[in-house]
Amino acid sequence: MTITKSRVPRFLRLTDRPTLSTKMMWVGLAITLTFILIAIFSPLFIQWGILQDPTEFLSNPIHEPPSWTHWFGTNRLGYDVFSRTLMGSVVAWKVVILATALSMAIGVPLGLVSGYLGGRLDRVLLFLMDTIYTLPGLLLSITLAFVVGRGIWNAAIALSIAYVPQYYRVVRNHTVSVKTELFIEAAQAMGASTWRVLSRYLFLNVIQSVPVLFTLNAADAILVLGGLGFLGLGLPEEVPEWGHDLRQALDALPTGIWWTAFFPGCTMTLMVVGLSLFGEGLNEFVNPKMRNE
């Protein structure tokens, strides 16, 4: 069977002139994949002795500028900034994936059930989710971090609550619009159970925007996690985390020690930009009405 050009997804056509959104998506994907590879191989490099252990205290040197021995220099405790910066991506991915997975696991089913059943349950859930949605995400995460304490799982829980309403609202609104389609009414007329309608007919038709929301929430979660770390919340101090390292570097900046803040800050910014570009570019392909051609 010959695959014609019309059968190939538009963003995979190499013969077309790439649009700005296509370039954005591919650049963002390249950056995101780079950080995924860093997160995969950094622990292995430490285990093999290629990278220094980011939690190993060094008596000397302290605040050494970037050199061949320590590419990104060392901080006030003698930690190697290069290894801590790379391992920060491992911690970021762990927290972000856990937080967004928890948000989806709660928000998607609630949105499906609420949009399909409607009635009092829908009104109550809408009021609850709108109330949570109106709260600033960072402020809500800070409050929850005080309650649940430090740790990767606790930080993920603190972040996830703020994103549940977004998944709920997207899935619920799509469910409300799709449930009036003829194929849903036909399934109901044939005696399909509520569970069968939700799982077989509705789920795949309303889930298309969730991957886009995942990438955008992941970018935001990295910033919020960095904010928690900067405030001394979220993760234990010995864990290599970009926000915590920025907080530790704050006092050294006036003395000209720039590298302890520059490299973690730039790395966190680059990862956020990559995820944002990929999410925004992907959004234009998932939602064709947003394209400007």
Side-chain angles (χ1 to χ4, degrees), residues 11-292:
F11 64 93
L12 294 178
R13 296 179 195 165
L14 300 180
T15 56
D16 283 354
R17 182 178 179 181
T19 62
L20 179 60
S21 61
T22 306
K23 295 177 182 178
M24 287 171 50
M25 189 184 69
W26 286 117
V27 170
L29 179 60
I31 296 173
T32 302
L33 289 177
T34 299
F35 276 101
I36 291 175
L37 292 176
I38 290 173
I40 292 173
F41 287 104
S42 292
L44 297 177
F45 288 160
I46 292 173
Q47 183 179 349
W48 297 337
I50 300 175
L51 281 179
Q52 181 181 318
D53 188 343
T55 62
E56 178 184 350
F57 285 96
L58 300 177
S59 58
N60 188 51
I62 295 175
H63 279 159
E64 180 187 356
S67 63
W68 286 111
T69 305
H70 302 283
W71 290 358
F72 289 179
T74 61
N75 63 11
R76 67 182 183 87
L77 297 175
Y79 287 139
D80 183 68
V81 177
F82 180 69
S83 61
R84 287 187 67 86
T85 300
L86 294 186
M87 284 300 293
S89 64
V90 178
V91 175
W93 277 120
K94 286 181 179 179
V95 175
V96 164
I97 290 175
L98 286 174
T100 49
L102 287 172
S103 301
M104 285 191 289
I106 298 172
V108 172
L110 286 180
L112 277 169
V113 173
S114 177
Y116 181 69
L117 298 181
R120 180 177 297 179
L121 175 65
D122 184 45
R123 293 193 296 271
V124 171
L125 287 175
L126 267 177
F127 175 78
L128 178 62
M129 294 299 170
D130 286 346
T131 302
I132 299 175
Y133 189 73
T134 57
L135 299 174
L138 179 58
L139 180 60
L140 181 59
S141 298
I142 291 173
T143 304
L144 293 172
F146 275 113
V147 176
V148 300
R150 292 184 172 187
I152 289 181
W153 268 101
N154 293 340
I157 292 172
L159 291 173
S160 65
I161 302 301
Y163 301 125
V164 169
Q166 298 183 34
Y167 291 100
Y168 167 83
R169 288 159 64 99
V170 168
V171 173
R172 185 258 177 194
N173 292 341
H174 283 194
T175 302
V176 170
S177 61
V178 172
K179 74 176 183 179
T180 58
E181 297 289 339
L182 292 177
F183 68 94
I184 298 294
E185 294 180 358
Q188 293 169 340
M190 294 175 64
S193 64
T194 299
W195 167 252
R196 186 174 181 83
V197 172
L198 289 175
S199 60
R200 182 170 181 177
Y201 299 104
L202 278 174
F203 179 76
L204 294 178
N205 284 281
V206 303
I207 204 69
Q208 67 269 18
S209 295
V210 169
V212 176
L213 194 56
F214 170 84
T215 57
L216 298 178
N217 281 345
D220 184 70
I222 292 172
L223 291 176
V224 176
L225 177 64
L228 291 178
F230 189 81
L231 295 173
L233 304 170
L235 299 175
E237 294 185 358
E238 65 272 10
V239 177
E241 193 273 315
W242 296 323
H244 173 70
D245 287 352
L246 289 174
R247 177 171 177 260
Q248 295 295 324
L250 190 61
D251 295 335
L253 281 176
T255 62
I257 301 172
W258 54 269
W259 55 89
T260 55
F262 177 79
F263 292 111
C266 287
T267 305
M268 180 171 64
T269 302
L270 183 62
M271 186 173 179
V272 171
V273 169
L275 284 167
S276 299
L277 288 176
F278 179 55
E280 292 292 345
L282 185 62
N283 191 33
E284 293 201 18
F285 292 106
V286 174
N287 301 296
K289 292 181 180 180
M290 296 185 62
R291 301 177 194 164
N292 295 319

